[in-house]
Amino acid sequence: MGRSHDAVDARVAPAKIQPGWVRISHWLNALAALVMMLSGWRIYNASPVFPPFRFPGDITLGGWLGGALQWHFAAMWLLFFNGIFYLAMNLATGRFARKFFPLRPRAVLADLIAALRGHLSHADLSHYNAVQKLAYLLVMVVLLVLVLSGIAIWKPVQFPLLREMMGGYDSARVVHFCAMCLLAAFVVLHVLMVALVPRSLLTMIRGR
């Protein structure tokens, strides 16, 4: 009888979708990105890239420029090292190729049209649709640009090549701001999709 019950439990147990290292790195990245954005808005207000636009002080982090810089750099290093860990584990386990490829323009277009019509299926959360694959790959690039442009702004003299790749110090600030806007747009879209498919949040918390 014990074996019979064990067999039944094994059959009905939900499949593991997200391993522990994915969930931990995901939430650390989310925390780092949120802190970087909120503190970055306070830093932006001290010297606006596009005056007279400023972010409302109530939604910024740090209280003043020095405090915001401390929060910003702490989150930057968390994002940097956690991002390296996430990428290395994805490559080492083969998850990167398995989850994000193949990715074909026709599939992206088809899934995008289906999503706009409300017909995109989310029955199998273990697989990303083409739109998700593209969005996740793009946000990885955006995060990389954020870090590189941030370093070019932080240490323009120590990293002259990186500064020049960004088009100079002032251009690096514009690149950094635009990358932040893209990240904020991704966060809003991501939260919206989670609201539409709440089961996806459970898989990132429980893994199943």
Side-chain angles (χ1 to χ4, degrees):
M1 290 295 292
R3 290 183 180 180
S4 176
H5 283 304
D6 290 342
V8 172
D9 291 342
R11 286 197 300 269
V12 301
K16 191 170 185 178
I17 296 176
Q18 302 290 4
W21 64 266
V22 170
R23 286 175 281 142
I24 292 173
S25 58
H26 170 272
W27 290 114
L28 287 177
N29 274 337
L31 174 63
L34 181 62
V35 171
M36 283 191 69
M37 281 195 294
L38 298 182
S39 60
W41 293 347
R42 171 66 68 173
I43 297 169
Y44 171 93
N45 285 349
S47 180
V49 178
F50 300 107
F53 171 75
R54 282 178 168 81
F55 293 95
D58 292 339
I59 63 171
T60 64
L61 178 66
W64 62 297
L65 179 59
L69 286 169
Q70 291 179 340
W71 279 106
H72 204 66
F73 291 141
M76 179 192 75
W77 289 118
L78 174 60
L79 183 69
F80 178 76
F81 287 114
N82 190 56
I84 290 178
F85 169 78
Y86 176 80
L87 183 59
M89 287 296 293
N90 266 287
L91 294 174
T93 61
R95 183 180 182 274
F96 191 84
R98 188 171 64 252
K99 282 286 190 178
F100 302 108
F101 296 96
L103 180 61
R104 300 180 179 87
R106 182 175 297 180
V108 173
L109 181 60
D111 283 352
L112 179 60
I113 293 174
L116 293 175
R117 292 177 176 176
H119 297 157
L120 189 61
S121 174
H122 299 282
D124 187 359
L125 296 180
S126 64
H127 296 284
Y128 294 147
N129 60 59
V131 175
Q132 285 178 301
K133 292 178 182 179
L134 179 61
Y136 293 147
L137 289 173
L138 287 178
V139 81
M140 291 180 197
V141 175
V142 168
L143 289 171
L144 177 62
V145 171
L146 267 174
V147 172
L148 293 179
S149 59
I151 292 174
I153 297 169
W154 178 36
K155 299 288 186 180
V157 176
Q158 291 83 348
F159 296 95
L161 180 60
L162 186 58
R163 181 194 67 217
E164 294 307 314
M165 286 176 58
M166 297 291 167
Y169 179 82
D170 291 332
S171 295
R173 294 188 67 209
V174 174
V175 170
H176 198 66
F177 181 85
C178 292
M180 180 278 299
C181 291
L182 290 175
L183 178 60
F186 172 82
V187 170
V188 171
L189 181 61
H190 193 54
V191 171
L192 176 61
M193 295 309 298
V194 169
L196 294 175
V197 189
R199 291 185 302 124
S200 61
L201 177 62
L202 295 178
T203 61
M204 196 52 72
I205 295 175
R206 302 185 306 181
R208 302 182 183 277

